[in-house]
Amino acid sequence: MSTTSSIAHHHPAEPVRDHHEDVHHEDHGPEKGWRRWVFATNHKDIGTMYLLFSLLMFFVGGTMAMVIRAELFQPGLQLVDPMFFNSMTSMHALIMIFGAVMPAFVGLANWMIPLQVGAPDMALPRMNNFSFWILPFAFSLLLGTLLVPGGAPAGGWTMYPPLVLQTGNAFPMLIFAVHLMGASSIMGAINVIVTIMNMRAPGMSLLKMPMFVWSWLITAYLLIAVMPVLAGAVTMLLTDHYFGTTFFEAAGGGDPVMFQHIFWFFGHPEVYIMILPAFGIVSEIIPTFSRKKLFGYDSMVYAIASIAFLSFIVWAHHMFTVGMPLAGQLFFMLATMLIAVPTGVKVFNWTATMFKGSLSFEPPMLFALSFLFLFTIGGFSGLMLAIVPADFQYHDTYFVVAHFHYVLVPGAVFGIMAAVYYWLPKWTGHMYNMKLAKAHFWLSTIFVNVLFFPQHFLGLAGMPRRIPDYNTQFADWNMISSIGAFGFGLSQLLFAYLIFRSMRAGAPATDKVWDDAKPHGLEWTLSSPAPYHSFETAPEVK
Amino acid sequence: MVKIVKCALAAVLASLPAAAFAAWELNMPVGVTELSRRIHALHMLILWVCILIAIAVFGVMIYSIVKFRRSQGAVAASFDHSTRAEIVWTVIPIVILVAMAVPAAATLVRIEDTRNSDLTVKVTGYQWRWHYEYLERNVAFFSSLSRDSDAARQLDSGIDPESVQNYLLDVDKPLVVPVGKKVRVLLTAGDVIHAWWVPAFGMKKDAIPGFVNELWFRADQVGIYRGQCAELCGRDHGFMPVVVDVRSEADFDSWLKTQQDNTKTASAAE
């Protein structure tokens, strides 16, 4: 931990650069040693822990992806048993969703929301500590399933019964891990809402909030609405397994499809939980490096709110093949297509922000631009999937795999990387190596397309998802895809290197960091690194 | 790790001469049923709509990136909204979506019309094979992965999948149906959820324990059509193919007769 102790911590011996420092007393600084992290209540320390935890999980989940792509490198089974392969796909998804993407966004929220709304800290610091420290236990439990008899969960991250009930000793561990992750997310979300609602600087009305704050406010409401639904669904699985209930068993009057309805009522808003904060991040970065105000701020806010609302009434498009009534299929098709409208507004507004701007291409901007292009491609395939008859062909093929990886990797993950490159100097006080960061960008963008674009072709040609082996007609694109995966995986080592390097060394960052682009926002009025208690006196927003 | 590297090298080397004959398929193939052709047409329509929108949107993005570079001395304008533009790019997508929804809904109505079928087959999914039952024809059998594929697909079997015909897409006993007849398929499962899918017929549907789903197809061409289980169903999910043998009516009738005779002999012997 000593390596990280220099971040987020304005050392008393350093020259005072910020006027808030005059009222800064020695006892307000961080505790020494391990106590600083275990008993952390400071939003920056907790944010840092969230982000580092997420980075670790990104590599754990990524390693599983490498196993998957290595087995799929050529037809025939060369490396793993099909059961272990299924465990890898299931665990990869659970770890990437709940361990990498969501904690990364909560980490960014912890770091940036107080800075952006002009608050000294998050509203509920002890709950903040609790919500983070649940995660290592949740993921120890989940990863521990790899060691128990029967192997890790292999029924897919969607945990559909009756298949998931065939899980071995890992079953209760899976359920309780999901419960813990849900509890952590709910606490994180409550903290975000309370902070935003109560701790904004005087003068910062709701419609003056930075877009990242807006996107997180709406995301937090989605989390509170749907995480309990997931908890309910998995609890019913638990009682079906151990206490003789038959919620999802036809023989006892239950219905396995009911689980899918409940799961996706959680699952679809969950998809937006993983993308809305990225929308917010991109809406911060594109205006900065276009040197122009965000185009259509109000409609951007309304677009996020509409997407959030629609996310509650489209869940069944994940299950068009379960055999729903015609009217149901038509409703969910139309509602799903409607999402393209507010999403389109966002893409058009970002484009209009760049139009007639003055663009420069620093690493955060590069990732934001990559997001813009590649997320849009994921949006197009999403629109195709909404067409029910076409979905009867696409459903559960690699076309779907390509679609959701386009929105989650160059979408959510590139959004997170853009945010890290944008705010890292504000966190650590050091600039990072721009050349290496640009190399990381180009490698990631090229390989992510080599990895996922061919999967569209595989799906259309008829390759089902979640299979460890395939007919030889699929061999060529699978090999290309695997090569892309290995390249993408290796490129991420650069990302980790740049982050850890920036914690210790690098040219000192100025307060504005991107002086040339004159970024707007309260976070840029503080010193770099930001003082331990952020805004001790609230700034005035006009 | 060494194993992975070795496999990778071996595969790259092995693939070089084969590359010339490789199947670099890009698009959804057109099937052999009315529904699959309509679905294919819908797929191409939405694909072209997406491509045209992409050309327009990416065009403006690329133009902005090229034209308004600070390094080229671009100075930022100060506008930050335009109600007219925002109305335009809200309304146009709505119009496009409605235009897309109409043919999609029409096709969907056609898909859901399972009336007036000529033959009904009950398909039951099990871990990991299919059971076919010709209702009121007194014929029923299991359909499992063929021996050749099964031998080759074992971990480190040493058998080159390229040497196996229709690797993983071949069964011991395919479903046999007559050409030009409306076949109704009733789907259910005996253990976990499976999904029955033949891409050339355009349809896939889940087989769910305790419930009965239905779909229909009318194949226009005699031939053998291959698909796979499309819902994760456990360890051997990747190894329960669907094979349908579409025959002329006469061939089908004589096949059915043989099967029925076999059934009678079998029950008489008991």
Side-chain angles (χ1 to χ4, degrees), chain A residues 470-498:
Chain A
Y470 47 80
N471 180 267
T472 49
Q473 65 169 315
F474 305 124
D476 304 300
W477 287 124
N478 266 303
M479 188 178 290
I480 301 288
S481 178
S482 289
I483 290 168
F486 303 144
F488 185 78
L490 285 175
S491 310
Q492 302 322 310
L493 296 174
L494 261 180
F495 184 52
Y497 168 78
L498 282 165

Side-chain angles (χ1 to χ4, degrees), chain A residues 140-298:
Chain A
S140 305
L141 204 54
L142 186 64
L143 287 167
T145 60
L146 286 162
L147 308 171
V148 301
W157 83 278
T158 49
M159 302 176 280
Y160 283 3
L163 182 63
V164 75
L165 300 173
Q166 296 180 351
T167 309
N169 291 5
F171 183 75
M173 298 167 75
L174 168 68
I175 303 293
F176 289 124
V178 170
H179 276 148
L180 287 173
M181 295 165 197
S184 162
S185 293
I186 291 169
M187 285 191 274
I190 290 172
N191 215 343
V192 165
I193 292 174
V194 176
T195 306
I196 296 174
M197 287 310 194
N198 295 291
M199 297 179 67
R200 296 195 308 279
M204 185 180 278
S205 60
L206 284 176
L207 280 174
K208 278 185 186 166
M209 294 195 310
M211 279 308 294
F212 178 67
V213 177
W214 252 117
S215 66
W216 241 112
L217 180 64
I218 292 171
T219 303
Y221 278 109
L222 288 183
L223 275 168
I224 291 178
V226 302
M227 293 312 287
V229 177
L230 175 67
V234 298
T235 306
M236 284 188 268
L237 286 178
L238 193 76
T239 62
D240 267 12
H241 196 295
Y242 293 109
F243 304 114
T245 58
T246 53
F247 290 113
F248 307 129
E249 200 194 323
D255 181 355
V257 178
M258 187 174 76
F259 176 86
Q260 299 185 21
H261 282 291
I262 300 171
F263 180 86
W264 286 113
F265 185 81
F266 145 79
H268 201 78
E270 168 68 18
V271 172
Y272 293 129
I273 287 164
M274 290 190 285
I275 200 66
L276 293 185
F279 285 174
I281 289 161
V282 169
S283 301
E284 302 276 337
I285 291 171
I286 288 181
T288 294
F289 297 102
S290 301
R291 293 162 181 80
K292 195 159 152 279
K293 273 176 83 177
L294 180 68
F295 186 89
Y297 172 93
D298 290 7

Side-chain angles (χ1 to χ4, degrees), chain A residues 395-412:
Chain A
H395 185 87
D396 259 325
T397 68
Y398 259 83
F399 190 79
V400 178
V401 177
H403 160 70
F404 66 71
H405 280 100
Y406 259 88
V407 290
L408 282 176
V409 183

Side-chain angles (χ1 to χ4, degrees), chain B residues 188-256:
Chain B
T188 187
D191 35 45
V192 301
I193 302 174
H194 304 266
W196 196 81
W197 180 36
V198 180
F201 298 166
M203 283 302 298
K204 79 164 66 73
K205 207 148 222 178
D206 291 358
I208 302 164
F211 291 82
V212 177
N213 265 332
E214 54 182 355
L215 63 82
W216 69 273
F217 64 87
R218 181 186 277 121
D220 301 336
Q221 287 169 38
V222 169
I224 295 177
Y225 303 102
R226 300 169 194 281
Q228 283 176 272
C229 177
E231 176 65 49
L232 179 63
C233 59
R235 183 176 184 275
D236 286 350
H237 162 57
F239 309 103
M240 52 181 291
V242 175
V243 180
V244 182
D245 183 353
V246 178
R247 298 189 183 179
S248 69
E249 207 175 342
D251 283 357
F252 173 75
D253 287 340
S254 67
W255 173 85
L256 194 67

Side-chain angles (χ1 to χ4, degrees), chain A residues 434-454:
Chain A
M434 290 291 154
K435 272 207 177 115
L436 271 187
K438 284 183 182 173
H440 171 234
F441 162 77
W442 284 110
L443 289 169
S444 297
T445 296
I446 291 167
F447 280 123
V448 88
N449 285 293
V450 176
L451 163 56
F452 294 120
F453 210 81

